[in-house]
Amino acid sequence: MRPFFIFSAALLVASLAAAAEPTQQSASVSTPTYYLFSYFKGNGEDGLHLAYSRDGLKWTALRNDRSFLKPEVGKRLMRDPSICRGPDGTFHMVWTTGWGDQGIGMAHSKDLIHWSKQEWLPVMKHEPKALNCWAPEIFYDASTQQYLIFWATTIPGRFPETDNTGDSGSGGRCNHRIYVTTTKDFQQYSKTKLFYDDGFNVIDAAIAKEGDQYLMFLKDETKLPEAKKHICVARSNRAEGPYGHASKPISPNWVEGPTALRVGSAWIVYFDQYTRGCYGAVRSTDLENWEDVSEQLTMPTGIRHGTAFVAPENIVRGLLADDGSP
């Protein structure tokens, strides 16, 4: 486990004011932005955790690493929390509510401290054989003014050619594909449909936009006959796809939960090295050649699969000032 240093909220607030001009997420961003990381710990029993960074490499847990939101729906877990910010400034979060649930969790917040009532979205209830809904992600597509919500599900027998390539589960071997639903208002949702199938067992998809391209970072979940368990990239000219074939691996094997952040001229892709008990990351300026920067990372102790995203200065200041009091 890499070292984790705890700083006081006052010192971090002071560092915000004293810091130099912050790194921008992209050339189109002209106002200061700061980096946040949503994550869970343990099995997700205590809910949402948040960390803060100015450079994308040194991350410090907020609220002394106490939970910001306790899980209340599904099987009462809050794993793999994914957060995105809409054009009106509202943050939207989805998460895994249980290992075998046929739905996912949803909540909304203006400040990441006060949250709406949690909802459970039964996105795979129409598939009675569906074993799970894992690691949902949410992405705002400005071109269509809608949100994409996507996740991994195994439906036994649906893709027989790869039925024997995954880990053993309660309903047989896992054989995931990525599914998606869309919404403009979080009231009406499109019919769930298959989102990504490149002929292999896949989980943990995450989308980022670079220029006129959409990048889907995903995990090849193949275990047999030879374990892969690494991160790849697929590309499209539309957020809704179709996405092309997965690239060669950009990470080591036995990692999961990719999330991408633009920091200056480079992209950093973070991943949970779950068999090693620590986080890792790779960095690229051309999205073709990737440098391992894992040794430069400082992450909160026990951090698990989450999402890196940008947030305005006033949001970060509010989080730094919050101690969790009612």
Side-chain angles (χ1 to χ4, degrees), residues 108-238:
H108 317 274
S109 176
K110 288 290 188 181
D111 58 7
L112 299 174
I113 299 171
H114 306 93
W115 289 86
S116 68
K117 182 179 179 180
Q118 295 175 34
E119 303 173 68
W120 193 75
L121 304 181
V123 291
M124 294 303 288
K125 272 290 189 181
H126 63 287
E127 292 278 4
K129 293 183 179 180
L131 297 184
N132 55 352
C133 291
W134 282 2
E137 290 276 334
I138 183 167
F139 177 82
Y140 179 70
D141 180 12
S143 67
T144 58
Q145 298 183 330
Q146 67 178 357
Y147 295 87
L148 280 68
I149 302 170
F150 46 100
W151 61 93
T153 289
T154 287
I155 304 174
R158 185 62 52 90
F159 302 95
E161 67 278 8
T162 53
D163 265 346
N164 296 315
T165 64
D167 292 281
S168 295
S170 58
R173 288 200 177 275
C174 295
N175 187 21
H176 302 86
R177 297 299 188 272
I178 304 299
Y179 294 83
V180 66
T181 184
T182 62
T183 184
K184 290 180 178 287
D185 57 8
F186 298 99
Q187 300 297 320
Q188 300 293 323
Y189 295 86
S190 68
K191 184 179 179 180
T192 293
K193 65 180 182 180
L194 183 65
F195 191 27
Y196 189 78
D197 171 26
D198 196 19
F200 60 87
N201 188 355
V202 58
I203 63 172
D204 296 356
I207 294 175
K209 189 173 188 293
E210 170 70 349
D212 59 359
Q213 269 197 334
Y214 294 86
L215 311 168
M216 180 185 284
F217 298 94
L218 51 91
K219 179 188 179 183
D220 185 337
E221 183 67 345
T222 300
K223 183 177 182 181
L224 299 171
E226 181 180 356
K228 296 185 178 180
K229 306 279 188 173
H230 50 234
I231 309 304
C232 306
V233 188
R235 302 171 189 246
S236 177
N237 57 11
R238 297 174 63 247

